[in-house]
Amino acid sequence: MSVGPQLFEDIDGVRAYVRKCQAAGESVGIVPTMGALHEGHLSLVRASTAATTRTVVTIFVNPTQFSPDEDLASYPRTLEADLNALSGLAVDAVFHPGPEEMYPDGDALIHVVPSVLDKNLCGLVRPGHFRGVCTVVAKLFNIIPADQAFFGRKDAQQAAILKRMANDLNFPIRINICPIVREADGLAMSSRNKYLNSDERMQAVALSRALAKGKQVIADGEQSSASVIKVMRDCLAEFVLVQPEYVSIVDFDTFVDAETIGPSCLAALAAQVGPARLIDNMQVNGVTGECEM
Ligand code: PAF
């Protein structure tokens, strides 16, 4: 019979557990999540269990990364199903604190603020979002002094910002950015896909299809980002339930718009599909394999 992960709800408990593991010479991986786990998260867990001897998954719907008009209240909270999904994956511990454990004063008074990497894409349309993400991940890195952390490339801007944060603030942790996991039709896995009804779910394929079209015209020789963006927008326009928010081509080091297609380009888009705000991205520079982030 497989024994499930040990569940911690308090900071002292999980910190003591991690310190004990490290004192015994074990390496610890952390997989920060907001729960509602899907195959994308599980791929991060597998990457962690392959690279370290102990894996801690954190499940915390972080209020400070949601603005007041966003889906904090309705964000899926599925702890039991999440623990089931993790059983059998060699996860050692789950840290599932309440908001009062993480933010006893309602919010932190000191925040971690990304300087320039959040001036475009999600950072532009969700002001304060990456400040909330950086602050909670910095807290998690302090609570769980892991050796390695695992994040998904679907949130490419988040991943780049967190990698930079770990570097700039000297967290002694290796940040691993893992590939996007997609449904059979190309839709990137996301906890927010749960919001989609069947019509919306069918149309949500628009995001990956638009990115693939962009990549194709680049492979055919198109060098102008504006032209590629037009192709992607035209593709999205074929799907009546899809409302684009941004469609961009950026340099994946700086997240600044790229006028022409270069070797470090990422196409990224966000769209509202029914009640779900979905994002996706794809490396479009024609180089085989994933970009080095
Ligand atoms: O990607 C997420 O699920 C969240 O932004 C994270 C990194 C767990 C911080 O709350």
Side-chain angles (χ1 to χ4, degrees):
M1 199 179 77
S2 76
V3 182
Q6 212 171 321
L7 182 62
F8 294 95
E9 295 187 337
D10 66 308
I11 291 172
D12 291 347
V14 75
R15 183 182 274 145
Y17 170 80
V18 169
R19 286 205 173 131
K20 198 168 142 197
C21 294
Q22 288 171 328
E26 309 214 68
S27 59
V28 175
I30 180 175
V31 182
T33 80
M34 297 206 301
L37 302 181
H38 49 68
E39 260 311 309
H41 295 115
L42 303 187
S43 73
L44 305 180
V45 170
R46 287 190 197 97
S48 175
T49 57
T52 64
T53 53
R54 298 277 172 185
T55 289
V56 183
V57 175
T58 72
I59 298 179
F60 177 59
V61 181
N62 173 37
T64 68
Q65 66 190 75
F66 291 78
S67 65
D69 59 339
E70 290 184 339
D71 56 340
L72 173 62
S74 57
Y75 197 86
R77 289 158 170 87
T78 58
L79 182 63
E80 208 178 307
D82 292 346
L83 294 175
N84 278 336
L86 294 174
S87 67
L89 280 190
V91 171
D92 298 281
V94 169
F95 179 49
H96 178 246
E100 60 297 333
E101 182 71 0
M102 291 298 282
Y103 298 106
D105 301 323
D107 191 0
L109 284 183
I110 308 288
H111 296 105
V112 180
V113 182
S115 62
V116 292
L117 287 175
D118 74 339
K119 298 290 176 268
N120 202 358
L121 310 185
C122 292
L124 187 64
V125 293
R126 301 182 72 189
H129 170 67
F130 287 120
R131 183 185 82 161
V133 170
C134 286
T135 302
V136 81
V137 172
K139 285 164 77 68
L140 289 170
F141 285 176
N142 283 324
I143 293 165
I144 297 165
D147 303 283
Q148 301 201 42
F150 298 81
F151 296 96
R153 191 182 294 274
K154 185 187 65 83
D155 301 299
Q157 191 176 18
Q158 166 175 284
I161 288 174
L162 291 174
K163 194 161 191 174
R164 189 67 206 223
M165 177 189 84
N167 186 61
D168 286 1
L169 300 187
N170 303 103
F171 282 101
I173 190 165
R174 181 192 156 104
I175 307 289
N176 299 278
I177 314 296
C178 303
I180 298 175
V181 179
R182 297 183 181 280
E183 302 282 359
D185 65 355
L187 175 65
M189 293 209 181
S190 163
S191 303
R192 289 189 168 97
N193 293 350
K194 285 191 165 59
Y195 297 153
L196 303 170
N197 67 26
S198 59
D199 288 344
E200 291 155 357
R201 169 63 191 84
M202 276 194 303
Q203 297 223 348
V205 72
L207 280 79
S208 59
R209 219 168 262 178
L211 289 166
K213 281 206 168 165
K215 191 173 170 116
Q216 186 56 51
V217 292
I218 291 167
D220 292 344
E222 183 56 69
Q223 287 291 302
S224 150
S225 295
S227 304
V228 179
I229 288 169
K230 181 169 181 325
V231 167
M232 294 195 287
R233 281 197 174 274
D234 288 349
C235 176
L236 292 175
E238 291 169 23
F239 296 82
V240 289
L241 300 179
V242 176
Q243 307 296 321
E245 187 185 70
Y246 64 72
V247 181
S248 303
I249 296 187
V250 296
D251 179 283
F252 60 64
D253 285 326
T254 60
F255 282 85
V256 169
D257 287 336
E259 275 182 28
T260 53
I261 305 300
S264 58
C265 275
L266 192 75
L269 47 79
Q272 196 70 34
V273 186
R277 178 184 180 276
L278 303 180
I279 61 174
D280 199 353
N281 67 82
M282 206 175 270
Q283 189 183 0
V284 288
N285 61 3
V287 174
T288 320
E290 299 272 13
C291 55
E292 195 48 55
M293 275 175 53

